Amino acid sequence: MHKLASLLRPGPLLIINIFLGFLLTLHGTISTFTNSSFLETLVPERLIGSIYTISSIAAFFIHLALPKILRKYGNYHATMALLFGALCTLALLFTSTSPIVLLTAIIVYMAIITVMALNIDLIIDEYSASDTVGGIRGIYLTMVNTAYILSPIVGATIIERYSTQGGNAFAYIYMAGFLLLLPVFFVFSYYFKNFKDPEYPEISFKKTIRYIRDNHDIAKILFTSFLLQFFYAIMVVYMPIFLNKYIGFEWTTIGVIFAIMLVPFVLFEAPLGKIADAYLGEKEILATGFIIIAISTCLCGFMTVPSFLLWVVLLFITRIGASMIEIMNDVYFFKVVDKKAIDIINIFRMTRPIAYIAAPIFAMIIMYMSDLTMFDEPKMLDYRYLFFALGLTLFAGFYTALSIKDTK
C-alpha cells in the first residue's frame, strides 16, 4: 500500500484521471469487438475494412492538427470537445435508422476515441515523475485493461439479449457506451477545468520526422508500437467475424473467449512496468513478447475447429505477448521522450490510426494472394492466410527489439 501511495503521490487528480481512463475505455470497448459485425449490416463484408481505413485517415488528420489545438486552446478544452463529439455520435448510433447517418457517425466516433488517448496521456504524464513512469503506466494500463476484460462480456450479453427481441440489437451497445461516457464528461469538466498545460514546444512536422529519423531508438520503438497496433487492427476487425460466421461460436461464447483472452493485460503489465523500472531493461521483455505473439498468431492460421478451450488458450497466449509489448513500448517511450514533447508523443499515438489504415490494405492483399478475389464472398481460407501472414510480420518486431538500447 505504501508503494502504491508513493506512485500516486500527486494526489486525487491523478487517481481521478486513472478512473476516468477506466470508464472511457469501458465505454469504447463495449463496441470494439462488435463494430465490424454492426458494419456488416450496413455494407458488404469485403468493404468493412475500408470503413476502418476511412475512420483512421480522419483520426490521422486530427492528430496532425492536435498539437496546434493544444497550444491554442489547452488540453482541457480539446478533451471536452472530443467528449462532446463522442456523445453526439453515440446518440446518433442508437437513435438513427439511416445507413448514411450511421456510417458517418461510426466513422467519426472511432476517429474521436482514437485521438482521445493522447489527451489522457498528457495528463497522466504531467503527474508522473521520471522514476515512477513504469509503475504509474502499469497501474493506468491495468485499469484500462480491466475495462477491456469486462467489455466483451457486457457487449456480447447485450447483443444476445436484444437480438432475440427483434430490431437493432447493436443500438443498445451504443446506448450503453453513451451512458458510460456521460459521467466522464461531467467529472472531467468539474475536476480538470483548472488543469495547467505544460509549455508545448512548437516543432514543425518535418523537424519532428527528422528528429525521429536521427534518434534510432525512438524510431525503433515507434515501429514496435506500430506492429502492435497493426496486430490489434487485424484482430479487432477480422477475428470476431471469423469466430462468429466461420467457426460458428455464439456471441456470448465469443464474449467469454475475449474476456479470458484479455486477462494477461491485467496480470502482467503492472508487474512488468515495475520490473522495467527497478531490475531489467525493456529490450529483453519486448523481444520475448514479440516471439510469443508471432508464433501464437501464426498458429491462429491453422485453427478451424470450434473448440472453446483451444481458442481460449491460443488467444490467451497471443495477449501474453501483446501485454509484454504494450507496457514496454509505453515505459520505454515515456522514459526517453520529454513529457512536453507533444509532437513526438503525438506521432507515438498516431501509430494506431496508421496501423488501421494499413491493416485493411494488408488484409486485401493477403486475400488476393490466396487466389480469391475480394468481389466474391470471403471464405475461411482468406482469414487463415491472413492470421498466418500477420504472425510472420510480427517477427520483425523481435529483431527490432533486440537492437534497441536499454534505458537501464
Side-chain angles (χ1 to χ4, degrees):
M1 289 298 293
H2 176 71
K3 289 183 178 179
L4 179 61
S6 66
L7 284 174
L8 301 177
R9 62 177 176 264
L13 288 181
L14 176 60
I15 298 171
I16 290 169
N17 196 53
I18 290 174
F19 177 68
L20 291 183
F22 168 81
L23 285 181
L24 189 66
T25 303
L26 185 60
H27 111 273
T29 53
I30 281 178
S31 62
T32 294
F33 295 107
T34 57
N35 280 335
S36 56
S37 295
F38 169 64
L39 287 170
E40 198 178 2
T41 67
L42 302 174
V43 298
E45 186 178 338
R46 65 180 182 272
L47 297 180
I48 290 173
S50 301
I51 303 302
Y52 281 88
T53 297
I54 294 169
S55 176
S56 297
I57 291 172
F60 178 82
F61 283 107
I62 297 172
H63 267 294
L64 286 180
L66 198 57
K68 290 183 179 179
I69 294 171
L70 290 173
R71 292 185 189 103
K72 186 172 182 179
Y73 299 105
N75 195 4
Y76 170 78
H77 291 99
T79 303
M80 287 298 296
L82 289 170
L83 287 170
F84 182 75
L87 285 169
C88 290
T89 51
L90 281 169
L92 288 173
L93 285 168
F94 69 79
T95 58
S96 178
T97 57
S98 166
I100 294 176
V101 171
L102 291 171
L103 278 174
T104 304
I106 197 167
I107 286 170
V108 174
Y109 173 66
M110 290 192 297
I112 287 173
I113 61 175
T114 297
V115 173
M116 213 178 301
L118 173 64
N119 301 72
I120 302 299
D121 271 340
L122 293 174
I123 296 175
I124 293 287
D125 295 337
E126 189 60 22
Y127 297 125
S128 303
S130 60
D131 61 337
T132 61
V133 170
I136 290 177
R137 282 270 148 196
I139 293 170
Y140 176 66
L141 288 174
T142 297
M143 289 294 292
V144 164
N145 288 313
T146 299
Y148 268 104
I149 289 174
L150 295 173
S151 60
I153 296 176
V154 175
T157 302
I158 292 172
I159 291 293
E160 287 292 334
R161 177 177 179 180
Y162 289 102
S163 62
T164 59
Q165 299 180 11
N168 182 12
F170 293 103
Y172 292 95
I173 292 282
Y174 300 112
M175 182 186 294
F178 179 89
L179 294 175
L180 285 167
L181 193 59
L182 270 180
V184 176
F185 180 85
F186 288 114
V187 172
F188 188 89
S189 67
Y190 180 81
Y191 282 100
F192 291 92
K193 59 187 175 183
N194 296 318
F195 175 74
K196 294 182 179 180
D197 292 85
E199 183 180 347
Y200 305 124
E202 189 167 354
I203 307 172
S204 71
F205 186 72
K206 288 184 179 179
K207 287 184 178 179
T208 302
I209 297 299
R210 193 179 304 123
Y211 174 82
I212 292 169
R213 183 193 64 195
D214 295 338
N215 290 267
H216 299 298
D217 286 327
I218 293 178
K220 290 171 184 175
I221 208 67
L222 287 172
F223 178 64
T224 60
S225 178
F226 167 80
L227 283 178
L228 180 62
Q229 295 301 327
F230 189 79
F231 165 81
Y232 289 152
I234 295 291
M235 287 293 182
V236 164
V237 176
Y238 298 104
M239 184 57 77
I241 296 175
F242 180 61
L243 292 180
N244 177 245
K245 191 169 182 180
Y246 297 106
I247 300 300
F249 287 126
E250 298 293 332
W251 276 113
T252 49
T253 304
I254 294 173
V256 174
I257 291 173
F258 285 167
I260 298 172
M261 169 188 82
L262 296 169
V263 168
F265 291 102
V266 174
L267 292 181
F268 301 129
E269 289 199 336
L272 287 173
K274 293 177 183 178
I275 290 170
D277 279 343
Y279 304 108
L280 292 176
E282 297 81 13
K283 133 169 133 173
E284 295 84 0
I285 299 173
L286 190 61
T288 303
F290 270 109
I291 282 290
I292 294 171
I293 198 174
I295 293 174
S296 54
T297 302
C298 282
L299 291 176
C300 288
F302 296 96
M303 273 283 290
T304 60
V305 294
S307 168
F308 173 84
L309 181 60
L310 287 178
W311 275 107
V312 164
V313 171
L314 185 56
L315 292 176
F316 184 90
I317 294 172
T318 65
R319 270 38 177 207
I320 291 175
S323 66
M324 298 170 76
I325 298 166
E326 183 174 272
I327 185 62
M328 289 305 107
N329 278 340
D330 270 34
V331 169
Y332 189 90
F333 182 83
F334 288 101
K335 279 184 179 180
V336 300
V337 173
D338 189 285
K339 68 178 70 174
K340 297 179 182 179
I342 176 63
D343 299 83
I344 308 296
I345 297 172
N346 194 34
I347 294 290
F348 183 61
R349 290 309 176 202
M350 283 170 67
T351 57
R352 179 178 176 182
I354 293 171
Y356 274 82
I357 293 170
I361 298 172
F362 175 84
M364 285 191 291
I365 292 171
I366 296 301
M367 290 175 182
Y368 177 80
M369 290 176 65
S370 69
D371 214 21
L372 300 166
T373 71
M374 288 303 297
F375 299 100
D376 296 326
E377 188 68 17
K379 300 176 182 178
M380 183 186 297
L381 188 60
D382 290 318
Y383 293 95
R384 292 179 61 192
Y385 273 106
L386 176 59
F387 298 133
F388 182 71
L390 173 62
L392 292 179
T393 303
L394 292 170
F395 277 107
F398 170 72
Y399 295 106
T400 303
L402 290 179
S403 64
I404 289 174
K405 183 180 179 181
D406 274 325
T407 59
K408 295 295 291 181

